[in-house]
């Protein structure tokens, strides 16, 4: 060969002798020298001299029997740890080898980066939300205390203050038990009026949670009384953002709901969360005369050592029986506790915090784990294909005395280096994608502030790298270091054909990819079908062009019902004058916002026997034109009008669900209903049904609509005119001006804060945002799986065609039609895909049952979804087979003969 260093080649031939190993080594050196010489002859000669010297050194070691070491790893005794030196040299050799194959390295690294990045992103969310402990001291002992009334169909609801104080006096299972209620208060002395989150708590709330103030103190028992001076503890966020971290904040006055309130403490920063309270205030409840039967308060407790949540609940059950015996409760209340089968419920605090998202997050983590497996299968196939091309190299190393363990170590080292590179890229991809992922799920996943790429996440990434390397590196390492060196040299020539055993290994990996991809596609398809069913659900109202906002009228500014009614009339008049507004109304609880209150009602003509529990019916208070503004169909009768709030006659409107339940097949107009029951100490007056409307969804789209009674804005309608109102304004055009609405409110009361301004379309979207997040994430994972599976099939078929070039050329030369050759390749891909689909269907049948809890009106074994996803994956696989098939059909018989 021109330009080859002839003297060195002659010396090399003399050392090695004329045997087959010598000729093979010379051929390898000659081939690579030719490639290098084409680019840089001088550098090629230097490389040849260096490699030839190494080969001669190695050959001498063979003759002397010291063949276990390479000349590059040979070190004089006493210079470093030999094992570490060997490993280091393996790493350097692996890096050099991967640098020589940039296309392979780039494709494999990106494939791994996608899989590892997906796993790291979702695991960082799982770690932050589910695995990290709560920031409180001894968080595993913190519990929530709830109520349960299975006789009424209520599985979990808040506690009543009278029951809480009875528990607190007599319980033996908690070190501390505190009561609290989340709410919102108007803040009116720090610039623009606004509404902020608040928590009203008993004085022992902070000791129960283990909270120590950054500054000041918590409130005392004597400050938690109805007539006590108003005090508050502010959050660290409030102190920093609104009070500029003022060190002299203690004793400062702020106005909450129009009342001057003294700041006595600043809570620590770890208590701040995205939706946490900004101020903490006392409950101002007299523990000797607490409200009875007002189930709107939460309780948190710290378990005593050795007491579980279940044991705590069991310890409270006897107290309910004592409460019924020792406390004078009304007949309805007693019936509620007895006939309603009332029982306390105790849940670990963390379970309540993360319970709703636990199942979806674990499902998503399992999903991206499958994506990583598919990525590893792809890279394993690349390694197998690459190992086919390295047979001669491995055979030469073996013939020169390298042990099988050293060859396996070398291949695994390359796999580890590649996995490390892919994992590093994956972590970088995850760090870049994580903010977008968190923005995709605002407000639906708790503890998002705890999500980050921390030590635990990096550890998982490292474990993923090691396992990935073992998955795609071990198979080629074992397969291609076991064959005889001479046999490998004979069958590794350029004119060789595809070995059936090797082809089966590659096909098996593609089968696994296809099966996993189908499982993910079926799961994604089920969620998409559920989402379509969810969005097709009849809302019962028309959300288009409706803007909503909320106001809370403080007692100090609006002490009487007449003041509230006057504000409402003035505000609705001002809003109606805003350009583009077609109609305006108000309601206590918006549709889809679960939380409409429920209480005992009596229906005329349906008497309640003594000791029996009256039916519990949910109700809302609305202003005139509510049904028109919300697009709720008025089926019979009339809407409320202004006279309903002044004529002294009590009127109500009921929805179709309630009429069908209590007056089936009858005209509900003229029927009478009242709060409470005839046996109550002070029964409410009867109200007459004047209208029948369609049934709106109140508790989200997934739950069936409930019966509802609508009261007008009458001060005696439900024991008081509501102070917290959501206003709804329907626009003539695309939207109502938010700024115009604000100016209208402030024209009525310049100090009135406005909160929760959003459109009804946004509320509808928000009601399904958790489902949407799960569906999109699983859909992205399924899309990645589909793409990786198609790439894997394409790669296997392409390599198979390349290995069968001579065979195909001979067939074409003997008269085979190109279409027949093309069909053969496509059928080969179809066969591989069919096996993978069969396995994937079996896996999907077993795994989709885990989606049951998040599906909506969709069976986990929905035949249409299974058939559609199977057909879609099969079509994609056929398309992936077409390019290799067309390449096979275009093989030139003449060129194929030259491959020898």
């Amino acid at each position: 060969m021109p330009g080859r260093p002839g003297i060195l080649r002659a010396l090399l031939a003399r050392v090695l002798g004329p045997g087959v190993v010598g000729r093979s080594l010379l051929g390898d050196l000659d081939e690579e020298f030719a490639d290098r010489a084409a680019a840089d002859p001088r550098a090629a000669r230097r490389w040849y001299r260096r490699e030839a010297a190494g080969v001669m050194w190695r050959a001498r070691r063979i003759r002397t029997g010291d063949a276990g070491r390479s000349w590059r790893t040979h070190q004089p005794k006493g210079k470093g740890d030999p094992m570490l030196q060997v490993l280091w040299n393996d790493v350097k050799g692996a890096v050099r080898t991967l640098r020589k194959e940039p296309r392979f390295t780039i494709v494999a690294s990106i494939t791994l980066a996608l899989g590892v990045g997906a796993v790291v992103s979702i695991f960082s969310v799982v770690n932050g939300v589910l695995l990290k402990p709560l920031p409180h001291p001894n968080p595993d002992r913190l519990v929530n205390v709830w109520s349960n009334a299975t006789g009424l169909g209520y599985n979990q609801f808040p506690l009543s203050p009278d029951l809480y104080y009875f528990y607190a006096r007599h319980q033996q299972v908690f070190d501390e038990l505190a009561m609290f209620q989340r709410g919102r208060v108007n803040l009116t002395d720090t610039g623009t009026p606004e509404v902020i989150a608040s928590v009203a708590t008993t004085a022992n709330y902070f000791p129960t949670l283990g909270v120590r103030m950054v500054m000041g103190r918590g409130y005392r028992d004597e400050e938690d009384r109805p007539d006590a001076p108003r005090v508050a503890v502010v959050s660290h966020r409030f102190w920093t953002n609104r009070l500029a971290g003022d060190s002299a904040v203690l004793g400062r006055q702020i106005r909450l709901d129009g009342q001057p309130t003294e700041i006595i403490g600043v809570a620590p920063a770890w208590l701040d969360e995205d939706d946490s309270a900004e101020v903490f205030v006392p409950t101002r409840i007299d523990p000797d005369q607490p409200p009875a039967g007002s189930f709107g308060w939460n309780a948190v407790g710290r378990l005593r050592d050795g007491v579980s949540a279940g044991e705590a609940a069991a310890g409270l059950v006897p107290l309910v029986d004592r409460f019924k015996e020792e406390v004078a409760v009304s007949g309805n209340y007693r019936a509620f506790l007895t006939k309603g089968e009332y029982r306390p419920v105790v849940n670990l605090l963390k379970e309540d915090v993360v319970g709703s998202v636990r199942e979806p997050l674990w499902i998503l983590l399992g999903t991206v784990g499958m994506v990583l497996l598919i990525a590893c299968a792809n890279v394993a196939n690349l390694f197998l294909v690459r190992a086919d091309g390295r047979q001669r190299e491995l055979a030469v190393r073996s013939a020169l005395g390298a042990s099988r363990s050293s060859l396996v170590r070398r291949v695994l080292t390359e796999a580890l280096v590649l996995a490390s590179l892919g994992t590093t890229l994956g972590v970088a991809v995850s760090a870049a994608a994580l903010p977008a992922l968190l923005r995709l799920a605002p407000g639906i996943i708790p503890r998002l502030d705890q999500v980050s790429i921390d030590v635990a996440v990096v550890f998982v990434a490292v474990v993923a790298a090691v396992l990935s390397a073992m998955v795609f590196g071990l198979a080629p390492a074992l397969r291609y270091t076991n064959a005889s060196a001479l046999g490998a040299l004979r069958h590794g020539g350029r004119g060789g054909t595809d070995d059936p055993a090797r082809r089966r290994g590659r096909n098996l990996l593609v089968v696994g990819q296809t099966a996993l991809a189908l499982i993910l596609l079926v799961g994604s398809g089920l969620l998409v079908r559920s989402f379509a069913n969810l969005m097709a659900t009849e809302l019962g109202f028309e959300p288009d062009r409706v803007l909503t906002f909320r106001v809370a009228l403080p007692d100090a500014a609006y002490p009487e019902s007449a003041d509230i009614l006057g504000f409402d009339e003035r505000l609705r008049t001002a809003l109606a004058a805003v350009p583009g507004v077609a109609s305006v109304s108000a309601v206590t609880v918006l549709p889809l916002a679960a939380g409409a209150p429920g209480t005992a009602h009596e229906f005329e003509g349906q008497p309640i026997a003594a000791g029996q529990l009256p039916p519990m019916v949910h109700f809302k208070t609305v202003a005139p034109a509510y049904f028109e503004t919300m697009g709720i169909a008025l089926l019979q009768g009339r809407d409320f009008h202004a006279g309903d709030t002044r004529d002294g006659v009590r009127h109500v409107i009921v929805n179709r669900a309630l009429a069908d339940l209590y007056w089936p097949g009858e005209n509900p107009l003229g029927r009478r209903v009242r709060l409470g029951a005839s046996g109550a100490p002070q029964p409410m007056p009867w109200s007459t049904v004047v209208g029948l409307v369609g049934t709106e969804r109140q508790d989200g789209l997934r739950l069936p609509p409930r019966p509802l009674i609508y009261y007008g804005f009458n001060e005696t309608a439900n024991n008081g005119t509501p102070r917290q109102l959501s206003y709804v304004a329907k626009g003539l055009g695309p939207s109502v001006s938010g700024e115009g609405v604000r100016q209208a409110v402030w024209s009525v009361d310049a100090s009135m804060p406005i909160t929760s301004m959003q459109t009804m379309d946004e509320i509808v979207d928000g009601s399904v945002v958790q489902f949407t997040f799960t569906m999109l994430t699983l859909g992205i994972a399924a899309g990645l799986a589909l793409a990786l599976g198609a790439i894997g099939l394409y790669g296997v078929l392409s390599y198979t065609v390349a290995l069968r070039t001579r065979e195909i050329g001979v067939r074409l030369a003997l008269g085979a039609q190109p279409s027949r050759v093309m069909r053969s390749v496509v059928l080969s891909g179809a066969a591989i895909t069919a096996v993978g689909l069969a396995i994937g269907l079996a896996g999907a049948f077993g795994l989709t049952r885990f989606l049951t809890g998040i599906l909506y009106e969709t069976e986990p074994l929905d035949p249409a979804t299974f058939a559609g996803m199977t057909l879609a994956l099969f079509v994609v696989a056929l398309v992936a087979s077409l390019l290799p098939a067309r390449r096979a059909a275009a093989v030139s018989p003449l060129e194929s003969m030259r491959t020898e």
Side-chain angles (χ1 to χ4, degrees):
M1 179 178 292
R4 181 175 57 229
I7 297 176
L8 283 175
R9 189 180 188 285
L11 289 174
L12 181 59
R14 181 181 181 85
V15 171
L16 295 178
V20 65
V21 176
R23 290 198 303 270
S24 299
L25 282 173
L26 293 174
D28 286 345
L29 289 177
D30 288 350
E31 288 178 9
E32 188 162 356
F33 174 76
D35 294 338
R36 291 174 175 268
D40 188 345
R42 182 174 299 178
R45 291 189 184 93
R46 288 198 299 269
W47 171 85
Y48 194 94
R49 286 194 294 269
R50 184 172 63 252
E51 293 298 320
V55 173
M56 285 189 290
W57 187 93
R58 182 63 175 164
R60 290 192 185 97
R61 287 293 175 186
I62 293 174
R63 291 184 175 181
T64 60
D66 187 16
R69 290 176 292 172
S70 167
W71 78 286
R72 293 186 182 278
T73 60
H74 179 70
Q75 295 289 337
K77 292 183 179 180
K79 292 196 174 180
D81 188 334
M83 181 59 69
L84 292 178
Q85 188 63 42
V86 168
L87 292 176
W88 173 241
N89 284 319
D90 282 341
V91 170
K92 290 194 296 183
V95 171
R96 282 197 303 270
T97 301
L98 294 174
R99 287 178 59 187
K100 292 177 183 178
E101 300 169 310
R103 284 187 299 179
F104 165 80
T105 303
I106 291 172
V107 172
S109 298
I110 292 177
T111 301
L112 280 176
L114 292 175
V116 173
V119 168
V120 169
S121 296
I122 298 300
F123 178 77
S124 63
V125 177
V126 170
N127 180 55
V129 175
L130 302 182
L131 302 183
K132 283 185 178 179
L134 297 175
H136 309 79
N138 299 316
D140 56 324
R141 292 171 54 199
L142 289 175
V143 295
N144 282 327
V145 180
W146 300 92
S147 300
N148 191 354
T150 56
L152 296 171
Y154 293 104
N155 293 324
Q156 184 170 293
F157 56 97
L159 198 64
S160 180
D162 54 342
L163 273 167
Y164 159 74
Y165 282 108
F166 194 84
Y167 288 162
R169 294 189 186 102
H170 302 290
Q171 62 84 22
Q172 301 293 323
V173 292
F174 302 109
D175 285 338
E176 293 281 357
L177 182 64
M179 185 176 69
F180 68 97
Q181 184 181 64
R182 300 186 185 277
R184 304 183 76 83
V185 294
N186 296 343
L187 180 67
T188 55
D189 64 346
T190 58
T192 303
E194 57 186 316
V195 178
I196 60 174
S198 66
V199 176
T201 77
T202 52
N204 64 337
Y205 177 76
F206 297 110
T208 301
L209 294 180
V211 175
R212 293 185 178 181
M213 298 297 158
V214 174
M215 298 175 59
R217 59 174 176 84
Y219 26 87
R220 305 185 181 95
D221 288 334
E222 60 269 20
E223 294 170 319
D224 187 16
R225 295 292 186 274
D227 55 352
R230 294 183 179 271
V231 295
V233 171
V234 299
S235 69
H236 195 274
R237 182 174 65 245
F238 184 98
W239 176 56
T240 303
N241 297 342
R242 301 179 187 275
L243 304 179
D246 183 8
S247 59
V249 68
L250 299 182
R252 180 171 171 174
Q253 297 279 332
I254 57 175
R255 296 188 72 84
L256 301 178
D257 283 340
Q259 299 287 345
T261 304
E262 179 186 355
I263 297 175
I264 61 172
V266 177
W270 61 261
L271 204 59
D272 289 340
E273 296 179 358
D274 292 338
D275 60 346
S276 61
E278 297 205 56
V279 294
F280 302 85
V281 295
T283 63
R284 301 179 65 81
I285 292 177
D286 185 353
D288 297 324
Q289 294 181 329
S294 178
F295 290 88
W297 292 79
N298 301 94
V300 61
R302 182 171 290 276
L303 296 171
R304 291 186 176 178
D305 285 337
V307 177
S308 68
E311 292 169 341
L316 294 179
V317 168
L319 297 184
V320 177
D321 297 329
R322 285 185 58 185
F323 177 80
K324 289 184 290 185
E325 295 173 0
E326 299 178 13
V327 178
V329 295
S330 66
N332 286 340
Y333 191 9
R334 183 176 298 278
F336 169 77
L337 296 176
T338 303
K339 301 298 182 180
E341 301 176 16
Y342 179 85
R343 289 292 183 273
V345 177
V346 179
N347 295 340
L348 288 174
L349 179 60
K350 188 175 181 180
E351 291 299 318
D352 281 340
V353 170
V354 304
S356 63
V357 299
R358 178 181 297 278
E359 184 180 9
L361 285 182
W362 283 121
I363 289 174
L364 290 178
L365 185 60
T367 296
V368 296
M370 291 185 185
V371 173
L372 179 59
L373 286 177
I374 294 173
C376 289
N378 246 349
V379 177
N381 253 331
L382 291 174
F383 257 75
L384 286 171
V385 170
R386 176 173 172 268
D388 278 341
R390 297 180 65 194
Q391 292 176 78
R392 298 181 66 194
E393 172 198 340
L394 296 175
V396 168
R397 291 179 180 274
S398 179
L400 291 177
S403 64
R404 188 185 184 197
S405 62
S406 66
L407 295 178
V408 171
R409 188 183 65 239
R410 177 63 178 265
V411 177
L412 284 179
T413 302
E414 292 178 9
L416 280 171
V417 170
L418 185 63
S420 300
L421 177 59
T423 301
T424 302
L425 291 175
V427 172
V429 168
S430 175
L434 192 57
L437 181 66
L438 298 182
R439 284 194 299 270
L440 188 65
I444 66 165
I445 298 181
R447 308 187 70 203
L448 285 182
D449 57 311
Q450 299 293 317
V451 176
S452 63
I453 307 293
D454 58 11
V455 174
V457 175
V458 174
F459 174 76
V460 168
V462 172
V463 171
V466 174
L467 293 179
S468 300
M470 298 299 292
V471 168
F472 61 72
L474 195 58
L478 295 178
R479 176 181 293 275
Y480 292 98
T481 59
N482 192 34
S484 167
L486 294 178
L489 285 172
R490 280 197 299 270
H491 297 293
R494 295 171 58 187
T497 58
D498 196 14
D499 183 0
R502 297 166 190 163
R503 185 167 64 247
R504 283 194 297 270
R506 294 191 297 270
N507 291 347
L508 185 61
L509 289 172
V510 175
V511 165
Q513 289 178 274
T514 305
L516 291 174
L518 181 60
I519 293 172
L520 296 185
L521 283 173
V522 169
S524 178
L526 290 173
L527 288 183
V528 170
R529 191 173 179 86
S530 292
F531 183 76
N533 292 338
L534 200 61
M535 298 311 294
T537 300
E538 181 62 39
L539 296 174
F541 62 92
E542 298 175 0
D544 298 341
R545 299 180 289 115
V546 177
L547 181 69
T548 76
F549 65 92
R550 192 162 181 81
V551 297
L553 281 65
D555 293 341
Y558 300 90
E560 304 294 336
S561 293
D563 300 321
I564 300 174
L565 292 173
F567 171 86
D568 170 66
E569 290 183 2
R570 293 192 303 273
L571 179 54
R572 284 190 286 115
T573 301
L575 290 172
V578 174
V581 173
S583 62
V584 175
S585 188
V587 64
T588 48
V589 183
L590 287 169
L592 302 182
T599 190
H601 280 74
E602 182 179 358
F603 296 86
E604 189 175 31
Q606 301 178 23
I608 303 167
Q612 294 298 312
L613 184 66
M616 302 291 290
V617 181
H618 291 257
F619 63 91
K620 297 165 70 168
T621 302
V622 301
Y626 171 73
F627 305 108
E628 174 191 354
T629 304
M630 294 300 299
I632 299 173
L634 181 62
L635 304 177
Q636 286 181 259
R638 65 171 178 84
D639 194 355
F640 294 113
H641 53 64
D644 288 331
T645 62
R646 293 191 294 267
D647 60 8
V649 178
R650 301 175 59 82
H651 300 141
V652 295
I653 296 173
V654 299
N655 69 358
R656 170 59 71 185
L658 184 136
D660 290 343
L661 180 62
Y662 292 102
W663 304 295
E666 302 178 20
N667 184 358
L669 299 184
R671 303 280 184 170
R672 297 204 303 174
V673 62
R674 67 178 173 186
L675 288 163
S678 56
Q682 294 182 336
M684 298 292 292
W686 290 99
S687 297
T688 302
V689 177
V690 297
L692 174 68
V693 297
T695 303
E696 62 177 318
R697 295 268 177 170
Q698 184 60 44
D699 301 306
L701 296 181
R702 297 177 65 92
L703 297 177
R706 66 168 73 248
L708 275 175
I709 296 178
Y710 298 90
Y711 288 96
F713 275 11
N714 187 296
E715 60 180 303
T716 59
N718 58 348
N719 286 328
T721 305
R723 296 182 173 276
Q724 297 191 23
L725 300 171
S726 290
Y727 282 83
V728 290
K730 191 176 189 67
L732 293 169
S735 63
V736 177
S737 167
E739 184 58 31
V741 166
R742 291 187 183 90
Q743 295 304 321
V745 174
W746 291 334
S747 70
V748 176
D749 186 342
S751 65
M752 180 61 63
I754 302 169
T755 185
S756 302
M757 182 174 287
Q758 57 187 329
T759 66
M760 281 305 303
D761 282 325
E762 291 173 336
I763 291 176
V764 172
D765 293 340
S767 68
V768 296
V769 67
Q770 179 173 325
F771 189 93
T772 304
F773 172 77
T774 305
M775 180 189 68
L776 288 177
T777 309
L778 185 56
I780 293 171
L784 282 175
L786 180 62
L788 291 173
I791 292 171
L793 179 62
Y794 168 79
V796 165
L797 293 179
S798 294
Y799 183 67
T800 300
V801 168
L803 289 179
R804 296 176 58 195
T805 298
R806 179 172 176 272
E807 172 199 337
I808 293 171
V810 171
R811 292 174 60 189
L812 291 173
L814 293 176
Q817 294 297 319
S819 60
R820 190 181 183 89
V821 173
M822 184 174 179
R823 184 167 62 252
S824 173
V825 176
V826 172
L827 289 177
S828 176
I832 298 172
T833 303
V835 175
L837 292 177
I839 297 174
L841 283 173
F845 271 104
L847 294 177
T848 52
R849 62 187 178 86
F850 292 107
L851 296 176
T852 302
I854 58 178
L855 296 179
Y856 178 74
E857 293 186 356
T858 304
E859 292 297 325
L861 301 180
D862 180 56
T865 302
F866 272 72
M869 294 298 103
T870 302
L871 179 61
L873 183 53
F874 188 73
V875 170
V876 170
L878 288 182
V879 172
S881 305
L882 283 177
L883 286 177
R886 294 180 62 182
R887 187 180 301 118
V891 168
S892 168
L894 182 60
E895 291 297 326
S896 67
M897 295 298 102
R898 294 177 179 173
T899 59
E900 282 295 316

